[in-house]
Amino acid sequence: MKAATARACANIALVKYWGKLDTELNLPATGSLSLTLGALTTTTAVRFNELLAEDTLVLDGRPAPAERLTTWLDLVRAHAHIDTRAEVTSVNDFPTASGLASSASAYAALAVAATAAAGLDMSAQQLSSLARRGSGSAARSLFGGFVEMGETHAEPVDSAADWDIRMLVAVVGGGAPKSVSSRDAMEHCRDTSPLYGAWLDCVPADLAAARNAIAARDLDALGAVMQHSALAMHAAALASRPPVRYWRAATLAVMDAVDAVDGAYYTMDAGPHVKVLTAASGARELVKRLRAIDGVTHVIESGIGGPAELVSAG
Ligand code: DP6
């Protein structure tokens, strides 16, 4: 088999991954726990082609730099004992220009497609470990529902098919200075923030609380621990020297709006956008409120997504 196409969903960490144990192997310093989002997907096609001198990448219809891709594909080539270069075409069904993180769904879809195209038969856990080498958060996008990242790979926690919850993604745009990538920011935070150690210390208890809240289908408990994890991560980043501050005025305006609503909880990653966890019943009304906030360019409503899957092969 020389070609394959796969699709994977994005995920949002409820208990964040923020810091590495090993940069070379991209091993996380702590566990993390996420929700896979059905509304944000990446579809990636990989074709190994003997005629190519270099790997090529086309991202949302445009040629893109392939260095990071080549480093990652070298892992697949080593496993498969091949030396063939590949053409990779990747399409996001959400605007990449919006600054929403896409590396999670991208490396998860790539892991499924590239290994299938290279003729490798790997378990979901092995694929998760391979995706981690591209991006830590991508290890979680191999699975659907709630997913927990361990030392090397992620495992599914609960598909939560019976739980009618939504994640609203409020995209904050306009006038934001160029933000620091999560990869660079977490290293800088470890090196310079006096709160980095305290942040790491929070994670085990937050993971346990999140697991319990999921098992009990307790949205308020899950929302509370999700907010705590995000605020602790951002507090550590804010205390770095120089500081890393992702929040814009509209980020805080969304946080204020969410605080005013019962049963809605926020989380933020390495950007100004706010993701809001809420019950499906109140989601539509909340989407309207968030859309009305100055600086919010659009709001995506997502249900729970499924595992990464092979779309076609051969
Ligand atoms: C804030 O997975 O982008 O979104 O492993 O260096 O590629 P690398 O980092 P990445 O970091 C994600 C950080 C986060 C929190 C999270 O998704 O857990």
Side-chain angles (χ1 to χ4, degrees), residues 39-269:
L40 306 179
T41 70
T42 300
T43 304
T44 300
V46 177
R47 174 178 296 277
F48 286 101
N49 182 343
E50 309 284 349
L51 302 175
L52 288 176
E54 302 289 342
D55 296 315
T56 63
L57 174 62
V58 175
L59 190 55
D60 286 330
R62 292 194 189 151
E67 289 81 18
R68 201 171 149 188
L69 170 71
T70 291
T71 305
W72 185 89
L73 279 174
D74 285 345
L75 300 169
V76 175
R77 284 188 275 259
H79 272 286
H81 307 292
I82 57 171
D83 193 32
T84 318
R85 306 290 113 180
E87 295 165 359
V88 177
T89 310
S90 195
V91 179
N92 293 308
D93 72 351
F94 51 95
T96 10
S98 69
L100 287 175
S102 60
S103 65
S105 49
Y107 276 100
L110 184 64
V112 174
T115 52
L120 294 167
D121 187 17
M122 288 194 173
S123 68
Q125 281 74 8
Q126 287 172 312
L127 291 169
S128 169
S129 189
L130 195 56
R132 184 204 81 231
R133 298 290 294 269
S135 200
S137 51
R140 301 183 307 239
S141 272
L142 264 297
F143 304 100
F146 291 100
V147 180
E148 185 166 348
M149 180 66 188
E151 288 175 13
T152 59
H153 62 271
E155 295 278 358
V157 171
D158 192 327
S159 70
D162 60 319
W163 203 4
D164 215 2
I165 51 173
R166 295 285 182 273
M167 192 71 92
L168 313 179
V169 181
V171 177
V172 169
K178 193 176 178 304
S179 70
V180 189
S181 74
S182 41
R183 176 155 297 188
D184 292 345
M186 63 175 83
E187 294 292 279
H188 174 65
C189 184
R190 182 194 59 200
D191 293 344
T192 69
S193 176
L195 303 189
Y196 180 71
W199 146 253
L200 293 183
D201 291 344
C202 290
V203 180
D206 283 353
L207 284 171
R211 270 183 232 120
N212 289 339
I214 291 164
R217 299 289 188 261
D218 185 338
L219 182 65
D220 295 326
L222 185 60
V225 72
M226 179 183 88
Q227 282 194 185
H228 174 262
S229 181
L231 293 171
M233 176 202 119
H234 283 273
L238 285 162
S240 302
R241 294 189 177 94
V244 175
R245 178 174 63 89
Y246 289 111
W247 302 350
R248 313 259 59 91
T251 310
L252 288 160
V254 174
M255 291 159 75
D256 278 348
V258 171
D259 274 342
V261 174
D262 279 342
Y265 302 90
Y266 54 72
T267 186
M268 293 78 61
D269 294 293

Side-chain angles (χ1 to χ4, degrees), residues 94-95 97-98 100 168-173 273-274 287 290-291 295-300:
F94 51 95
S98 69
L100 287 175
L168 313 179
V169 181
V171 177
V172 169
H273 320 299
V274 186
V287 167
L290 299 182
R291 279 196 181 129
V296 172
T297 53
H298 52 283
V299 181
I300 302 164

